[in-house]
């Protein structure tokens, strides 16, 4: 059976676009696979220097995935920094990785280009963690002999770099130590518009939070921008959000009620609020319950660690042997 692996960066608050466009499809595609999901806390260190935030985001993103239905009995769920072999393998991979490969990586290039554009030193503010981000990610993937990495478009290059690194290592030591992973681009099931009609995104400040309480959802839904002209509800952000959240038959009803002027925007917003509460209300309660019991999350991480360490150790040992360390 193929090994499927995904890393999740611990970040702040999630919105319903994250759930519908990333979390839900990832969980669906993991069913019946030999799946490993982990929180990439080592990667987060490159950016976030507040230790409390690192700790808190790790727990809250874990709570988010658990509340979203990640079943740790079916998907091995672990924390990257619990697996010391990740860091050990990173060192071995660094020795066979060309610097020029890192120069091409998008995240580094973007930071460098921004510096150049702002007439700063090209390396200003760029730490080695950002520069070698792809090597750490390759270690995550190669350590478990991963076959498939489900990714969004933005991570394709990282998996390609991983393929290069793995091939380089295997070639250098003339041994097939690492499985060459393939990426799998998740079809973009849902791009959800935000409350202002642009794509829902933290950077536009137009999001509907995923985990919150009905009174907050109500406030946000009220703010959804609607056109005084109601003649084309099909393309309104209100309808498109509803369509992404509610079952198909209900969104057909809403559309025809709007088109035939049986209801106005106010009633449509009430229905959207109801649909959001139906879809995400229980999930939100679960999320806050998980957050109240961080020891339960730690217990799940411990279970994941126990499953991952033997596999990680096996790959690391063969990599060490291949390069003459033992
Ligand atoms: N770089 C990924 C992101 O930004 C997170 C990640 C870290 C990852 N290690 C990984 C994803 C290994 C897939 C496989 O989202």
């Amino acid at each position: 059976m193929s090994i499927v692996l995904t890393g999740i960066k611990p970040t702040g608050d999630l919105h319903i676009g994250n759930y519908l466009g990333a979390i839900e499809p990832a969980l669906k595609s993991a069913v019946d696979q030999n799946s490993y999901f982990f929180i990439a806390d080592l990667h987060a260190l490159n950016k976030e220097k507040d230790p409390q935030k690192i700790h808190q985001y790790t727990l809250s993103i874990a709570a988010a995935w658990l509340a979203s239905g990640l079943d740790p009995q079916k998907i091995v769920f672990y924390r990257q920094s619990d697996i010391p072999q990740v860091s050990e393998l990173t060192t071995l991979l660094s020795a066979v990785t060309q610097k020029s490969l890192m120069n091409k990586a998008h995240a580094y290039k973007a930071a460098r280009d921004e510096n150049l554009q702002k007439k700063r030193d090209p390396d200003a503010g760029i730490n080695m963690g950002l520069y070698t981000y792809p090597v750490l990610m390759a270690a995550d993937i190669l350590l478990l002999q991963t076959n498939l990495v489900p990714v969004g478009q933005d991570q394709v290059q990282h998996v390609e770099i991983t393929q290069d690194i793995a091939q380089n290592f295997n070639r250098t030591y003339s041994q097939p130590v690492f499985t060459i992973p393939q990426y799998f681009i998740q079809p973009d099931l849902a791009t959800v518009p935000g409350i202002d009609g642009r794509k829902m995104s933290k950077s536009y400040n137009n999001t509907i939070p995923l985990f919150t309480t009905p009174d907050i959802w109500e406030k946000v839904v009220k703010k959804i921008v609607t056109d005084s002209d109601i003649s084309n509800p099909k393309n309104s952000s209100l309808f498109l959000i509803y369509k992404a959240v509610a079952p198909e038959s209900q969104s057909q009803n809403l559309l025809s009620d709007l088109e035939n002027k049986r209801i106005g925007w106010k009633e449509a917003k009430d229905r959207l609020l109801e649909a959001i509460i139906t879809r995400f209300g229980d999930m939100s309660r679960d999320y806050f319950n998980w957050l109240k019991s961080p020891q339960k999350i730690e217990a799940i991480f411990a279970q994941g660690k126990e499953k991952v360490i033997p596999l990680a150790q096996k790959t690391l040992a063969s990599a060490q042997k291949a390069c003459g360390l033992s």
Side-chain angles (χ1 to χ4, degrees):
M1 195 158 50
S2 302
I3 294 188
V4 179
L5 173 132
T6 301
I8 303 155
K9 271 217 300 232
T11 49
D13 298 332
L14 298 172
H15 55 72
I16 65 173
N18 297 134
Y19 177 82
L20 296 167
I23 299 178
E24 188 184 52
L27 289 174
K28 276 196 184 141
S29 76
V31 174
D32 301 328
Q33 300 272 13
N34 205 351
S35 293
Y36 294 81
F37 283 37
F38 67 94
I39 310 293
D41 58 346
L42 292 174
H43 276 115
L45 293 177
N46 303 327
K47 226 191 204 151
E48 182 55 67
K49 299 297 186 286
D50 178 343
Q52 242 142 20
K53 278 199 183 144
I54 289 285
H55 185 73
Q56 195 45 49
Y57 288 168
T58 298
L59 288 175
S60 64
I61 206 84
W65 282 74
L66 291 163
S68 299
L70 188 158
D71 177 352
Q73 302 315 326
K74 295 198 178 127
I75 293 175
V76 180
F77 193 41
Y78 64 101
R79 174 170 50 198
Q80 185 185 31
S81 63
D82 281 337
I83 315 297
Q85 290 82 358
V86 170
S87 305
E88 293 180 63
L89 185 58
T90 300
T91 305
L92 304 190
L93 298 179
S94 297
V96 297
T97 301
Q98 293 300 305
K99 176 173 177 286
S100 60
L101 198 56
M102 299 297 101
N103 291 342
K104 283 187 247 168
H106 293 316
Y108 165 70
K109 255 178 60 183
R112 195 180 157 86
D113 288 349
E114 196 188 331
N115 280 335
L116 289 171
Q117 203 204 340
K118 296 193 172 151
K119 307 219 180 315
R120 293 190 292 236
D121 180 307
D123 283 327
I126 297 177
N127 57 46
M128 283 303 290
L130 172 64
Y131 190 58
T132 62
Y133 187 109
V135 186
L136 178 57
M137 182 156 159
D140 293 328
I141 295 171
L142 300 177
L143 194 60
L144 297 193
Q145 305 289 358
T146 303
N147 302 99
L148 258 189
V149 188
V151 286
Q153 192 61 48
D154 64 318
Q155 295 298 314
V156 166
Q157 191 200 26
H158 283 150
V159 183
E160 289 171 344
I161 293 176
T162 301
Q163 294 170 338
D164 271 9
I165 293 176
Q167 273 152 358
N168 250 333
F169 191 99
N170 288 351
R171 201 179 321 110
T172 303
Y173 298 111
S174 312
Q175 285 179 48
V177 173
F178 299 120
T179 305
I180 310 299
Q182 305 300 321
Y183 58 81
F184 160 73
I185 301 185
Q186 309 227 21
D188 213 356
L189 297 183
T191 353
V192 188
I195 61 172
D196 61 356
R198 291 181 292 174
K199 180 182 160 92
M200 189 178 290
S201 160
K202 231 171 35 187
S203 43
Y204 295 149
N205 206 7
N206 65 355
T207 62
I208 301 177
L210 177 57
F211 302 121
T212 189
T213 47
D215 53 319
I216 301 288
W217 277 323
E218 187 178 353
K219 275 193 200 139
V220 179
V221 166
K222 277 201 179 131
K223 282 199 262 176
I224 294 176
V225 178
T226 48
D227 202 329
S228 55
D229 173 13
I230 205 166
S231 61
N232 190 8
K234 208 174 178 161
N235 297 321
S236 66
S237 41
L238 194 145
F239 172 67
L240 292 172
I241 297 170
Y242 189 87
K243 194 173 155 212
V245 172
E248 172 70 22
S249 63
Q250 284 181 23
S251 56
Q252 285 310 322
N253 285 344
L254 182 83
L255 186 60
S256 88
D257 285 350
L258 279 167
E259 281 175 344
N260 298 302
K261 313 259 183 312
R262 281 191 291 269
I263 63 167
W265 291 126
K266 162 88 183 56
E267 162 81 22
K269 285 187 173 183
D270 289 346
R271 288 201 206 165
L272 174 60
L273 176 63
E274 207 180 287
I276 290 174
I277 294 171
T278 306
R279 183 95 188 254
F280 302 117
D282 286 350
M283 216 186 259
S284 277
R285 265 192 299 277
D286 279 356
Y287 171 77
F288 292 113
N289 282 334
W290 280 111
L291 282 188
K292 273 186 235 149
S293 313
Q295 74 285 1
K296 285 194 188 152
I297 300 176
E298 289 293 344
I300 289 170
F301 283 153
Q303 212 182 66
K305 175 179 175 178
E306 212 173 295
K307 289 187 194 148
V308 169
I309 293 267
L311 304 171
Q313 191 48 47
K314 188 167 170 231
T315 304
L316 180 67
S318 72
Q320 285 169 327
K321 190 153 181 265
C323 51
L325 291 178
S326 61

